[in-house]
Amino acid sequence: MDLLYPPVCPFCGKIQKPGTGICDSCREKLPAIREPRCMKCGKPVKTWEKEYCCDCERRRLDFEQGRSLWLHVPPVVQAIYQFKFHNKRYYAEIFAREMADRYGQWIREHEIEEIIPVPLHPSRLRVRGFNQAGLLAERLSEELQIPAGKNVVYRIRKTKPQKQLDDRERVKNLEHAFGVSRRWKAPKSVLLIDDIYTTGSTIHRISRVLKKAGVEKVYFLTISIGQGL
């Protein structure tokens, strides 16, 4: 398969040796998230005196804490777009390995018992053919030997893309949008997986329904995150 479909760097497209993932040249240029960062969601903030970003200051969010690999700027934006909309499913293995290397210890410190992907609505899943968050969760589960919760959280109704909405519309858009399987036995601590974190509305809403189902603590991990202030 590697001869027919050689692995490439997700950021520049150059062919790589199997298992290499990101090329050295791109790795040096990736937009790292540096300190100081928001104590809640992990977005960068301007000064060490500022504990939270503007989004986390403005409202109460029901998750405990979150982290991301990179800022949501080029070339990360393009790589995620290719992953989601151009069937680059094998990118999930690369991104999950990065997550495990960077945040494996952080995940273990929080005693995560289950890794849960943010779900797609069935209609979007049929069109795309896969859930990118689901692939990430499965690969991260394999890397860390922590169970992945399949079909735990589901979308009750189809929502508009969050990127098209302002803050107030984002909140309203996600009201009653998620549910949790009644057959699922809730662990104490879970990790939500998604591709992008912006204002936190989606993670917040899912965290709320998970806690109603019996989860005590919810954390999140994404490929990229918006820039804080």
Side-chain angles (χ1 to χ4, degrees):
M1 290 300 294
D2 287 337
L3 291 173
L4 291 172
Y5 304 101
V8 300
C9 171
F11 299 104
C12 67
K14 292 180 180 178
I15 295 175
Q16 303 295 304
K17 294 179 181 179
T20 302
I22 303 167
C23 73
D24 292 338
S25 177
C26 286
R27 189 175 291 279
E28 291 178 2
K29 301 171 186 175
L30 288 175
I33 304 167
R34 307 191 186 282
E35 301 289 352
R37 65 172 75 187
C38 174
M39 293 174 63
K40 185 81 170 178
C41 73
K43 284 182 183 177
V45 292
K46 287 185 177 179
T47 66
W48 287 97
E49 291 73 26
K50 192 173 176 63
E51 294 184 346
Y52 301 101
C53 69
C54 294
D55 289 323
C56 292
E57 277 182 339
R58 209 164 39 231
R59 57 198 178 101
R60 181 183 179 275
L61 296 166
D62 277 351
F63 59 84
E64 270 55 51
Q65 195 179 56
R67 289 291 180 263
S68 305
L69 290 174
W70 304 290
L71 293 174
H72 193 64
V73 296
V76 177
V77 175
Q78 293 88 335
I80 292 177
Y81 184 84
Q82 291 293 319
F83 175 37
K84 292 170 66 172
F85 301 113
H86 288 269
N87 206 29
K88 303 294 185 182
R89 302 188 193 196
Y90 67 92
Y91 284 11
E93 184 176 343
I94 298 171
F95 295 142
R97 194 183 312 130
E98 292 291 320
M99 288 176 169
D101 290 345
R102 184 92 56 86
Y103 293 114
Q105 184 59 36
W106 177 79
I107 291 169
R108 293 185 185 95
E109 286 174 358
H110 292 301
E111 300 179 335
I112 299 299
E113 297 176 58
E114 198 164 337
I115 300 172
I116 299 172
V118 170
L120 283 179
H121 189 270
S123 62
R124 284 209 180 103
L125 186 59
R126 284 193 296 272
V127 172
R128 192 173 300 171
F130 66 98
N131 177 9
Q132 71 280 356
L135 293 182
L136 285 169
E138 289 174 14
R139 298 294 181 268
L140 187 61
S141 169
E142 293 169 4
E143 291 280 343
L144 299 179
Q145 295 299 295
I146 297 173
K150 297 181 181 179
N151 304 315
V152 170
V153 180
Y154 56 92
R155 290 202 182 235
I156 297 172
R157 61 182 182 82
K158 189 175 181 180
T159 55
K160 296 178 182 177
Q162 289 287 89
K163 63 183 179 182
Q164 299 176 0
L165 309 174
D166 61 29
D167 288 350
R168 182 176 295 179
E169 290 170 335
R170 285 171 188 257
V171 174
K172 188 174 182 180
N173 186 45
L174 293 173
E175 286 180 356
H176 312 297
F178 300 101
V180 176
S181 172
R182 293 181 180 179
R183 294 177 292 180
W184 181 62
K185 185 177 179 181
K188 288 184 178 179
S189 185
V190 302
L191 179 70
L192 282 174
I193 297 292
D194 205 2
D195 52 348
I196 306 166
Y197 179 98
T198 49
T199 63
S201 297
T202 300
I203 301 293
H204 162 69
R205 187 61 61 175
I206 296 175
S207 298
R208 177 168 291 183
V209 297
L210 285 170
K211 289 188 174 182
K212 285 183 179 179
V215 175
E216 292 181 11
K217 295 183 178 181
V218 181
Y219 299 86
F220 79 81
L221 186 55
T222 64
I223 299 170
S224 68
I225 194 167
Q227 299 183 63
L229 297 172

